[in-house]
Amino acid sequence: MATVLMCRRFPRLSRVTAFSTTAKRKAERGNSKSKKEKRDKPGAANSGTESGATIQLLKPQDYRVLYNPAAYAKGRAGSQQHGDRDSSQALGDTVTSPGTTQPPQAFPTAPSQALPPLRNAKPKSNTLLKQTILAMLYKEETEKEKWELHDSKEDPRMFQKGRPEYRSLSCDSAEPALTLPAEERDLILQNVAVCEGSPGILTDYFCKLSRLPVERRAVLLSDPRFSALCHHTVTAIRQFSTPDLIQMLKACVPLAIPASHPLLDACEAEFCRRAWDMELEQLLLVADCWRCLERAVPSYLGILFSYANLHWKDLTLPQFVQLLYIVGEGRRSPADLAQKVESTILRHLDAFTLEELGAICLGLFKSLSGISEHVMRRIADRVALQMEDMSTYALVNVLKMLRYTRIDHVPLMRELGRVIPARIPTTNVQGIMHITLAYSALHFFDEDVLAAVASSLPSKVSYCRSKDAAKFLWSFGCLDYEPPNEEEFYSSLIKQLHTKLHEFRKFPEHLLTALLGLAFVKRFPEDLIDFALREEFVQKTKGSKYDLYKDLFTLGKSVEIECPTYQGSRLPPKLFQEFTEMALSFAEQEIYIRPEIMEATCLLESMLGGPEYVKSHMILPHTRTGDLEVRLATDGHPIPFNFKHPVAAKELKDVGVSLTDDLMSQLIKGRAHSQSPVEVGNKARIPGQERGDAAGTPCLGGALPAGAKSQVEPKAGPWQPREVRLALQVSNRNHFCYSSKRLLGLHCLKRRQLRLLGYLVVEIPFWEWFPLLKRTRSEKLSYLHYKVFCPALLTGAG
């Protein structure tokens, strides 16, 4: 085997220059940290990759590590490692496991010790020195691969090692201590051909054959004599005692009997027939065997859950945890057990081991079982106090459930930020992905954690599935965080997206997730966007079980606004129109009626002179959030423009103004700037449900201008040079990172695009506006007056 050493620079991914330069992006962010501040943060050492070099050991194509330990390290020397199974696999993802071919013996494993000084080395020792260095690199690469590999069947079962009671509830797949000699195997198979044997003898045959070496078991399945043994067993299966039948099924696990084998068909039917006469311990053991055999047995599980429901008070603590493990692996959530599960968790909460708590959370997560906020907080309370003693694998399982229940448990997240960065380098990619996703799903920003992830990920990126790469990009984009090594970080993930492009045909949602995460931080890989917007790919999204329309809409419109030189595929206008109508329908039902928005709309109408001066709508429907649009002349006078509003037309009629075609034409073109706003009193008016399009509005169903410029250099047409358009943003807590004033990625994208279209973005943040909702009308009017007529706005617009 030839091993090659390469020295190369890390590739740097340049952003599309037509969209924005890095300097411009930094200027727009305003509050971005200085280079010195970045160097002070974790991971900053990796930021200077332009001049850095790395030595990379290329892995041989046929090399795989036989040893398959758990993937998540505990984070300190001597601790046991645990692996992770992606809990979303049942939702359609597949995990590609590497093979297990024998590794070549090109380099002996050398102990890690200091090398002698080069000046003392003799010329003939150069070869030995090279071999030692290569051996050390080989060992390092082997360790890295061991961290990344995990067993999707065995790792969720690590909790069973913590109590001896699980031995009678689970099938131990460990290698037997005694190996069956080949001569005894042949004798057993010869006896089968001569005599069928009693059920006890047949069971003994299976148990003995299960002790064959692994390589001989594979040959056994194709042996006609073994097929005859299986046939005899099926014929006599009703005569087996329940203990013998269970022992025979357990023997099928190390024999790796295929899930569709006729013998297992007969076993399942027989266990279903006699289940109500079995003990709960036996039922759980059989269910565990089915899991090890990877056979779906919904009928059997239904009986097990009904039995457990009737005998719930008799469940011991290990039986309860094992039952929840089976619930998770079967992806079934018995509705009638939900309340009993919660009460049992609370009853045993202090007695569970930390690994059992992780198993409980994983079982609930995989089965999509709901859990009350009170119970989840109690679990999180205990984890927060003992996190350092918990394996990373179990901790990740708790984070999955915390993410699923959307509970903001600050003590746990704070402790996680203290404990987890040091564990990131020895945690496998899927575990890191779930940690990162927990932060983004809960909108919790922790720069130390994200920097540690970004620092470790480029060297692990080859282990990323399409889903992992997509979730990393989404999480960093959602939190609007660009790490110190941002170019290396993003270029490595985008390269992995290209490598996994074939997977997106089966899982289109992952590509859209990745591209939106990139768009949030102003990165637009045109070749991948072209692939995602092709008709063929769009058709695949329609077959997904996820609603991907809004993601396509956001991506397609963002490309139109931010990528004027893009020449690739685009969504058809008809599709844009459908998406816009869906977004507007959603806004009518969910956005416009929110109290904080209705109050602001009414007060602005009263302050400016009527509903014709304010429009509550979505300027950018693809961002799925509302705006309050106001137009001002550069001398500060408001301009009426919302004439399709029925209330606006009525108010103008009431004050004796005739809406002639000539007047409408002048108003639409922005020529009637000199008159004072129409005074309509202090009576608040709530806009009606019908919202027509305003003349000159850049986007309400039509395509946004691809080459839209900023308001300093407005586009010719209805938009007049002396007109200032304000987009007031009445925000809420969900627009920001948890307990902070840091906007999330989607809302950063929206404000950036509003500015590109010439709008002045005016923030009405929730921490200012919500307290005012309880104050007097005059205080609220004063606040809004300042926001709309702030001299800085008009000065900047001029």
Side-chain angles (χ1 to χ4, degrees):
M1 176 189 68
T3 303
V4 183
L5 283 175
M6 294 182 60
C7 181
R8 60 174 179 81
R9 295 182 185 275
F10 283 119
R12 296 185 61 81
L13 175 69
S14 299
R15 303 188 184 198
V16 182
T17 56
F19 312 151
S20 172
T21 63
T22 301
K24 180 178 179 182
R25 172 178 52 77
K26 294 294 183 183
E28 288 177 336
R29 292 174 65 93
N31 292 327
S32 60
K33 297 187 178 179
S34 66
K35 294 295 184 182
K36 181 179 183 302
E37 289 174 328
K38 283 191 174 184
R39 286 195 296 269
D40 293 338
K41 291 295 180 182
N46 295 334
S47 61
T49 54
E50 295 92 333
S51 60
T54 182
I55 297 177
Q56 181 183 23
L57 180 65
L58 296 183
K59 292 181 292 185
Q61 292 296 323
D62 59 344
Y63 171 68
R64 292 292 186 273
V65 180
L66 280 175
Y67 176 52
N68 189 14
Y72 296 164
K74 202 163 183 179
R76 53 185 183 272
S79 62
Q80 190 170 1
Q81 294 180 332
H82 298 268
D84 175 46
R85 170 187 171 85
D86 179 10
S87 56
S88 298
Q89 184 178 348
L91 299 179
D93 291 339
T94 56
V95 181
T96 304
S97 300
T100 54
T101 55
Q102 182 69 27
Q105 302 296 324
F107 304 109
T109 302
S112 178
Q113 57 187 6
L115 296 175
L118 290 177
R119 64 177 179 270
N120 295 331
K122 297 180 180 179
K124 291 184 179 181
S125 67
N126 286 342
T127 301
L128 179 61
L129 178 62
K130 290 178 181 178
Q131 289 179 346
T132 304
I133 293 174
L134 291 175
M136 292 173 66
L137 291 172
Y138 175 82
K139 182 179 181 181
E140 180 181 342
E141 198 73 12
T142 301
E143 288 298 319
K144 184 189 298 183
E145 186 135 353
K146 286 194 294 185
W147 288 334
E148 294 302 328
L149 296 178
H150 68 276
D151 192 321
S152 61
K153 286 196 302 183
E154 288 301 316
D155 293 338
R157 302 162 62 84
M158 294 301 295
F159 72 93
Q160 295 172 349
K161 311 298 181 185
R163 295 181 192 268
E165 293 91 335
Y166 287 112
R167 294 174 187 169
S168 61
L169 302 174
S170 60
C171 179
D172 188 0
S173 59
E175 289 294 322
L178 299 176
T179 301
L180 186 73
E183 298 79 10
E184 190 171 350
R185 177 206 62 182
D186 293 335
L187 181 61
I188 290 173
L189 296 178
Q190 289 173 5
N191 290 339
V192 171
V194 175
C195 176
E196 295 182 3
S198 66
I201 293 175
L202 294 176
T203 299
D204 185 58
Y205 286 167
F206 273 98
C207 292
K208 288 181 177 179
L209 291 174
S210 69
R211 290 162 35 206
L212 283 170
V214 176
E215 64 275 6
R216 294 186 180 274
R217 294 180 209 161
V219 178
L220 183 67
L221 294 177
S222 59
D223 193 315
R225 296 172 297 177
F226 182 75
S227 298
L229 173 61
C230 293
H231 176 73
H232 295 329
T233 303
V234 170
T235 303
I237 201 162
R238 288 279 182 105
Q239 302 172 26
F240 278 70
S241 67
T242 298
D244 282 345
L245 192 59
I246 293 174
Q247 288 301 314
M248 190 269 294
L249 184 66
K250 285 183 64 177
C252 290
V253 174
L255 286 173
I257 304 295
S260 59
H261 197 282
L263 174 61
L264 299 187
D265 293 340
C267 286
E268 181 185 353
E270 185 62 20
F271 277 119
C272 286
R273 188 184 69 83
R274 64 175 74 184
W276 289 103
D277 297 323
M278 295 167 60
E279 300 293 331
L280 180 59
E281 185 177 275
Q282 294 176 321
L283 291 171
L284 288 170
L285 174 57
V286 170
D288 198 67
C289 291
W290 292 130
R291 170 62 190 128
C292 294
L293 289 164
E294 297 186 317
R295 180 180 171 94
V297 287
S299 298
Y300 179 83
L301 292 183
I303 298 172
L304 169 62
F305 299 151
S306 297
Y307 188 103
N309 193 29
L310 290 175
H311 299 81
W312 193 263
K313 293 182 179 179
D314 301 328
L315 259 67
T316 64
L317 185 151
Q319 288 175 344
F320 170 73
V321 178
Q322 181 70 13
L323 178 65
L324 283 191
Y325 164 74
I326 296 298
V327 166
E329 297 305 303
R331 281 12 183 222
R332 293 191 59 189
S333 175
D336 53 348
L337 296 184
Q339 192 61 42
K340 294 179 178 180
V341 166
E342 290 200 3
S343 61
T344 305
I345 290 175
L346 293 176
R347 185 167 70 252
H348 295 299
L349 185 59
D350 294 331
F352 291 127
T353 67
L354 293 172
E355 301 308 303
E356 286 172 334
L357 277 179
I360 289 169
C361 287
L362 183 60
L364 294 172
F365 179 80
K366 285 184 175 182
S367 60
L368 302 178
S369 301
I371 188 173
S372 69
E373 179 176 346
H374 173 67
V375 174
M376 192 64 234
R377 286 194 180 279
R378 288 289 305 277
I379 294 175
D381 287 341
R382 182 167 174 217
V383 171
L385 292 175
Q386 298 179 278
M387 189 177 295
E388 285 190 343
D389 300 323
M390 195 172 196
S391 72
T392 306
Y393 177 73
L395 179 56
V396 166
N397 292 336
V398 174
L399 291 178
K400 290 176 182 178
M401 199 59 196
L402 202 68
R403 185 180 90 219
Y404 179 72
T405 53
R406 309 288 294 184
I407 291 176
D408 53 338
H409 194 282
V410 178
L412 185 146
M413 298 303 291
R414 294 266 167 81
E415 183 68 6
L416 185 67
R418 188 184 68 83
V419 170
I420 207 64
R423 299 192 189 186
I424 292 295
T426 53
T427 301
N428 83 338
V429 160
Q430 290 185 32
I432 299 174
M433 181 271 287
H434 281 293
I435 293 168
T436 311
L437 191 57
Y439 276 93
S440 69
L442 298 173
H443 297 173
F444 203 95
F445 180 78
D446 188 313
E447 187 169 7
D448 291 341
V449 173
L450 295 177
V453 170
S455 177
S456 296
L457 195 59
S459 64
K460 298 170 173 281
V461 77
S462 61
Y463 296 100
C464 283
R465 303 163 301 166
S466 59
K467 175 181 178 177
D468 300 323
K471 297 299 186 182
F472 280 122
L473 291 171
W474 169 265
S475 297
F476 275 68
C478 177
L479 296 173
D480 189 40
Y481 178 66
E482 297 181 272
N485 63 331
E486 58 181 283
E487 298 299 338
E488 179 193 7
F489 173 78
Y490 281 109
S491 63
S492 64
L493 283 171
I494 291 174
K495 182 179 178 181
Q496 187 68 2
L497 293 182
H498 285 90
T499 302
K500 299 294 183 178
L501 200 60
H502 62 283
E503 294 184 14
F504 296 127
R505 300 182 188 278
K506 185 175 182 181
F507 307 113
E509 62 273 11
H510 297 331
L511 179 58
L512 293 179
T513 296
L515 292 177
L516 284 179
L518 287 166
F520 292 162
V521 291
K522 212 172 182 180
R523 293 175 183 265
F524 296 88
E526 292 194 356
D527 50 348
L528 292 174
I529 292 171
D530 175 65
F531 181 85
L533 298 183
R534 290 177 190 170
E535 183 179 357
E536 176 189 0
F537 187 85
V538 172
Q539 290 299 320
K540 289 185 179 297
T541 65
K542 294 180 180 179
S544 173
K545 55 188 169 183
Y546 303 101
D547 179 11
L548 303 180
Y549 280 171
K550 61 181 183 295
D551 295 340
L552 280 171
F553 188 27
T554 303
L555 178 64
K557 282 296 182 183
S558 295
V559 170
E560 281 194 12
I561 297 171
E562 301 203 51
C563 310
T565 61
Y566 173 73
Q567 299 296 322
S569 303
R570 296 181 185 270
L571 297 177
K574 182 179 179 182
L575 207 54
F576 273 142
Q577 184 64 33
E578 292 178 8
F579 293 162
T580 300
E581 291 173 358
M582 293 168 58
L584 294 178
S585 175
F586 166 78
E588 293 283 352
Q589 301 173 30
E590 300 291 339
I591 297 177
Y592 302 144
I593 61 174
R594 290 176 182 167
E596 67 272 17
I597 294 178
M598 292 177 67
E599 180 80 354
T601 304
C602 294
L603 291 169
L604 284 170
E605 288 175 358
S606 177
M607 181 180 74
L608 298 176
E612 67 272 20
Y613 291 92
V614 184
K615 187 176 180 65
S616 177
H617 67 140
M618 289 194 295
I619 299 172
L620 302 177
H622 63 279
T623 63
R624 303 184 291 283
T625 49
D627 311 90
L628 296 179
E629 183 175 355
V630 173
R631 302 185 188 180
L632 302 176
T634 52
D635 61 3
H637 286 84
I639 302 172
F641 66 99
N642 188 23
F643 299 111
K644 290 188 179 180
H645 196 296
V647 178
K650 181 178 184 301
E651 290 295 343
L652 286 178
K653 182 177 180 181
D654 288 345
V655 297
V657 179
S658 299
L659 294 176
T660 64
D661 291 341
D662 182 64
L663 178 58
M664 285 289 292
S665 177
Q666 292 181 42
L667 291 173
I668 290 172
K669 294 179 180 178
R671 293 174 183 171
H673 291 171
S674 58
Q675 69 270 29
S676 299
V678 180
E679 294 296 330
V680 294
N682 291 329
K683 180 182 177 182
R685 286 170 291 276
I686 299 176
Q689 293 301 304
E690 181 182 347
R691 288 171 172 80
D693 192 9
T697 300
C699 174
L700 260 184
L704 288 167
K709 301 179 181 179
S710 68
Q711 58 84 27
V712 179
E713 196 176 352
K715 187 178 177 181
W719 198 306
Q720 296 302 309
R722 295 182 60 79
E723 179 180 273
V724 180
R725 296 192 177 187
L726 308 182
L728 281 74
Q729 307 299 301
V730 183
S731 63
N732 61 55
R733 289 174 176 82
N734 290 332
H735 296 176
F736 297 85
C737 291
Y738 182 83
S739 193
S740 78
K741 298 178 181 179
R742 184 187 187 92
L743 275 172
L744 295 172
L746 176 63
H747 305 285
C748 290
L749 172 143
K750 176 187 177 180
R751 285 150 177 76
R752 185 172 73 233
Q753 293 178 3
L754 284 171
R755 294 186 185 99
L756 284 172
L757 292 176
Y759 283 90
L760 288 178
V761 177
V762 179
E763 293 288 347
I764 304 181
F766 72 90
W767 59 84
E768 294 176 356
W769 182 238
F770 281 29
L772 277 172
L773 293 177
K774 300 178 182 179
R775 308 297 290 270
T776 65
R777 176 184 175 83
S778 60
E779 288 177 292
K780 289 181 278 193
L781 284 170
S782 177
Y783 173 83
L784 291 175
H785 187 278
Y786 171 77
K787 286 290 184 179
V788 172
F789 295 107
C790 177
L793 287 176
L794 298 177
T795 302

